Amino acid sequence: MISRVAYLSLHTSPLLQPGLGDAGGMNVYIHELAQTMADRGVAVDVFTRRDDPSVPAEVLVSPNYRVIHVDAGPARRLPIAALPEVVGTFAKQVITWIRDHGLTYDLVHSHYWISGWAGVMVKQNLQIPLANSFHTLGRIKDLTRRPDQEPSSAVRVLTEQEVIDQSDCVIASTPAEATDLLEHYGASPERQCVSPPGVDHDLFSPGSKVGARDVLGLGDGDVLLYAGRIQALKGIDVAIEATARLRDVDLLIVGGPSGPRGGDEVAGLRSLAEALDVGDRVHFLSPQPHERLADFYRAADLLVLPSRSESFGLVAAEAQACGLPVLAANVGGLPHVVADGIGGVLVDGWDPATWASMARALLDDGDELARLSKGAAEWSARFSWPATANRLLELYAGITGTDAGS
């Protein structure tokens, strides 16, 4: 029976506010998964790099679930490009901590390529199985990146390949990601698994649009919503240009800058909105706590996700759980999360005119929007954290040769 697991999240802590910096859907994933596993009686230790000298060495989030801050490099935020220099130190410190505390883990589950790198070291040193979830893949992001985006570094691509080759199980979020791993990395089908993330349906559920708008101070006009980190690959420029083609429609952008060029991206998007004369209809809002984000989902008419790359798209699943239809790019894992014509509409390409036309057609058809809203809530029911935990416990048991438990 699986009793204790170590999760590695080197570059970002599950305790951080999603939507800002490097914190996003992966943070939600790790936190919700760890909490669900802990509720099942599995002890989960999440190891993350200390990026603030004031945080305690250990945080007991709940019984069986704690976050351990590891000293590796300076105790401040570092860009991901600088993190390869501290991977070895991080892995060594994790190994030392485990040995000093006399603990035995059934396996280590690393998250993202840079944590996977550390995971390989932990696996080899402690002789325990390794599972890895990439959440995003460098080669796949490069296929559809915006022309002004820098390609993934050679270090990332080479490390991803090594982590795939050394992992006992590579966990993909969707069948599309599994295919990408096979076709672009030559991953072994025997050591590949699919397990989609979940949704907290107690928090994200349909509610009163009028009530949510009252809470947020919104009027009764048409509202498009984008929620997530602000970076080039999210395609927010497409959403703004589409909004400029729509009369009497507001766009709410809920999130903060991410990555080394995140600040420039925000400035560029603000300038774009002003140049298109929609500065008064495009609203930039700070990242929101999850309980507050549910109000935004309920208040909006459409969630827009013009991402150029998306391994899953957790906000699309959360929004649909609130009954919010999704207008999403037909890329990556989004077709798995958003069933075209059931809980939303998939859009090919990133032509703002096409996005505007699609949005206009939906906003003008109340019956269709209501049908999609109902379908969205029903479709999202297939994504839950208990189901995710069940699947992962099966996968863990498979690579450790133990009983999954319940």
Side-chain angles (χ1 to χ4, degrees), residues 111-402:
H111 297 267
Y112 198 54
W113 68 274
I114 206 157
S115 295
W117 187 353
V120 170
M121 298 180 195
V122 174
K123 169 192 172 174
Q124 293 174 343
N125 194 283
L126 298 181
Q127 295 297 298
I128 58 176
L130 171 66
N132 186 77
S133 298
F134 281 102
H135 297 275
T136 64
L137 291 162
R139 285 178 178 167
I140 306 308
K141 289 171 64 176
D142 287 346
L143 294 176
T144 52
R145 64 184 173 86
R146 212 170 63 188
D148 63 332
Q149 280 185 273
E150 293 182 2
S152 300
S153 68
V155 170
R156 173 173 184 169
V157 174
L158 291 172
T159 299
E160 287 176 341
Q161 190 66 63
E162 179 68 11
V163 173
I164 289 168
D165 293 342
Q166 295 296 327
S167 295
D168 296 279
C169 181
V170 178
I171 301 170
S173 294
T174 65
E177 185 182 1
T179 298
D180 288 336
L181 285 161
L182 291 171
E183 294 183 351
H184 295 275
Y185 290 87
S188 168
E190 292 79 16
R191 290 186 287 111
Q192 191 180 81
C193 319
V194 177
S195 176
V199 172
D200 181 350
H201 291 279
D202 290 333
L203 178 59
F204 298 108
S205 60
S208 168
K209 176 178 289 188
V210 173
R213 290 195 174 195
D214 285 344
V215 168
L216 299 176
L218 299 176
D220 56 3
D222 291 331
V223 174
L224 304 179
L225 172 67
Y226 167 85
R229 291 179 292 164
I230 298 178
Q231 50 186 183
L233 67 85
K234 296 297 185 179
I236 305 171
D237 54 313
V238 176
I240 292 175
E241 291 193 47
T243 301
R245 291 170 164 80
L246 299 169
R247 299 184 62 180
D248 303 321
V249 174
D250 281 37
L251 171 64
L252 307 183
I253 299 173
V254 179
S258 176
R261 298 181 62 184
D264 292 339
E265 186 69 17
V266 173
L269 293 174
R270 288 183 180 276
S271 296
L272 176 63
E274 292 297 332
L276 295 173
D277 200 27
V278 290
D280 60 333
R281 293 196 285 120
V282 175
H283 312 277
F284 291 83
L285 304 170
S286 61
Q288 301 293 313
H290 253 50
E291 58 272 15
R292 182 75 164 178
L293 193 56
D295 286 326
F296 282 89
Y297 290 145
R298 296 182 184 118
D301 295 292
L302 275 175
L303 182 79
V304 288
L305 281 181
S307 302
R308 293 181 176 273
S309 177
E310 201 74 66
S311 60
F312 183 75
L314 188 58
V315 294
E318 293 175 345
Q320 289 179 98
C322 292
L324 179 62
V326 181
L327 194 62
N330 190 15
V331 297
L334 286 174
H336 181 76
V337 184
V338 182
D340 192 29
I342 295 177
V345 175
L346 298 174
V347 184
D348 293 321
W350 296 274
D351 179 4
T354 301
W355 282 79
S357 176
M358 293 283 197
R360 182 78 278 165
L362 293 173
L363 293 172
D364 287 347
D365 190 339
D367 290 342
E368 177 66 0
L369 211 55
R371 185 187 70 80
L372 290 175
S373 176
K374 182 174 183 294
E378 292 173 350
W379 182 262
S380 74
R382 69 191 57 211
F383 304 113
S384 73
W385 291 113
T388 300
N390 287 343
R391 174 60 174 151
L392 285 176
L393 284 171
E394 291 176 359
L395 300 179
Y396 294 169
I399 64 175
T400 60
T402 61

Side-chain angles (χ1 to χ4, degrees), residues 51-132:
D51 62 6
D52 182 341
S54 68
V55 299
E58 298 180 19
V59 176
L60 184 63
V61 182
S62 66
N64 291 327
Y65 167 26
R66 63 181 165 178
V67 174
I68 299 162
H69 295 100
V70 175
D71 291 311
R76 56 180 172 82
R77 298 279 178 90
L78 293 175
I80 289 178
L83 291 178
E85 299 177 9
V86 304
V87 172
T89 302
F90 177 85
K92 181 179 179 179
Q93 293 287 70
V94 169
I95 293 165
T96 299
W97 189 97
I98 292 172
R99 285 181 168 157
D100 287 348
H101 286 75
L103 295 177
T104 300
Y105 293 91
D106 294 299
L107 78 157
V108 58
H109 184 172
S110 50
H111 297 267
Y112 198 54
W113 68 274
I114 206 157
S115 295
W117 187 353
V120 170
M121 298 180 195
V122 174
K123 169 192 172 174
Q124 293 174 343
N125 194 283
L126 298 181
Q127 295 297 298
I128 58 176
L130 171 66
N132 186 77

